[in-house]
């Protein structure tokens, strides 16, 4: 049997680990180190990478222009009714769409479609249906943010 390709002149094995395996192992070590020493940086990086692929709506009904026209008409009617009854106070609340929710995102975490570009900051409260407090902003990125729910441990 010919052992010439495996053994070099000094008797040691050559190319014990192929180059592709070395790259995969190096990437795994780097990701492992980042996960333990800088988890926020790793999370922000993957959120930035994945956010262009997220969609706002899942059902066909929400993607139709008729749906959005209906929402605009309801908002206008709501504003007119508030003016009629003298309830025109302005609020500093921001309206956000949930891009991802469990099980796609982490447990008890919502990914929202607004970030520091709209003035959102860490610690801001998150409400459902306008008046039900459900959590707070845990992390803010450029155009997305993570809301951690109070139901989490």
């Amino acid at each position: 049997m010919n052992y010439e390709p495996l053994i070099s002149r000094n008797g040691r094995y050559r190319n014990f680990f192929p180059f592709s395996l070395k790259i995969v192992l190096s990437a795994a070590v780097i990701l492992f180190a980042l996960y333990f020493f800088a988890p926020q940086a790793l999370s922000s990086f993957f959120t930035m990478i994945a956010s262009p692929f997220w969609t706002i709506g899942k059902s066909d009904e929400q993607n139709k222009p008729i749906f959005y026209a209906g929402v605009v008409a309801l908002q206008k009617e709501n504003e007119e009714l508030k003016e009629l009854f003298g309830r025109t106070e302005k609020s500093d609340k921001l309206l956000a769409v949930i891009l991802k929710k469990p099980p796609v995102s982490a447990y008890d975490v919502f990914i929202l479609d607004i970030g520091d570009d709209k003035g959102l900051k860490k610690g801001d409260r998150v409400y459902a249906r306008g008046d039900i407090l459900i959590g707070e902003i845990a992390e803010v990125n450029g155009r997305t943010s993570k809301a951690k729910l109070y139901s989490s441990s």
Side-chain angles (χ1 to χ4, degrees):
M1 205 161 188
N2 187 6
Y3 292 102
E4 195 69 30
L6 294 177
I7 301 176
S8 66
R9 291 183 186 173
N10 60 6
R12 293 186 179 181
Y13 287 103
R14 224 178 12 158
N15 290 334
F16 186 69
F17 290 110
F19 184 71
S20 60
L21 183 61
K22 289 178 186 177
I23 290 176
V24 169
L25 288 176
S26 299
V29 168
I30 289 171
L31 288 175
F32 184 75
L34 280 174
Y35 178 75
F36 282 106
F37 296 114
Q40 295 296 333
L42 190 63
S43 174
S44 298
F45 174 74
F46 284 121
T47 301
M48 181 183 68
I49 295 295
S51 62
F53 302 105
W54 292 334
T55 58
I56 292 176
K58 284 188 177 181
S59 70
D60 290 336
E61 190 64 33
Q62 289 182 346
N63 291 330
K64 293 181 180 176
I66 296 171
F67 174 78
Y68 294 113
V71 170
V72 171
L74 285 174
Q75 287 175 340
K76 184 177 178 182
E77 181 182 358
N78 189 9
E79 290 173 9
E80 290 172 357
L81 286 171
K82 284 182 180 179
E83 285 180 24
L84 182 64
F85 291 108
R87 300 184 70 184
T88 58
E89 71 270 356
K90 293 294 179 183
S91 175
D92 59 348
K93 293 181 181 177
L94 297 172
L95 182 62
V97 173
I98 298 173
L99 293 175
K100 293 296 171 189
K101 57 186 174 183
V104 176
S105 67
Y107 184 69
D108 284 340
V109 173
F110 289 157
I111 306 295
L112 305 175
D113 72 334
I114 59 173
D116 57 8
D117 62 336
K118 301 288 184 186
L120 194 66
K121 54 189 177 302
K122 185 177 179 179
D124 285 349
R125 293 181 177 173
V126 177
Y127 293 89
R129 301 185 189 253
D131 59 347
I132 303 169
L133 183 62
I134 60 169
E136 13 182 274
I137 301 297
E139 183 180 328
V140 180
N141 297 318
R143 292 185 298 185
T144 60
S145 59
K146 286 185 183 179
K148 187 171 182 179
L149 304 180
Y150 288 139
S151 60
S152 67
S153 59

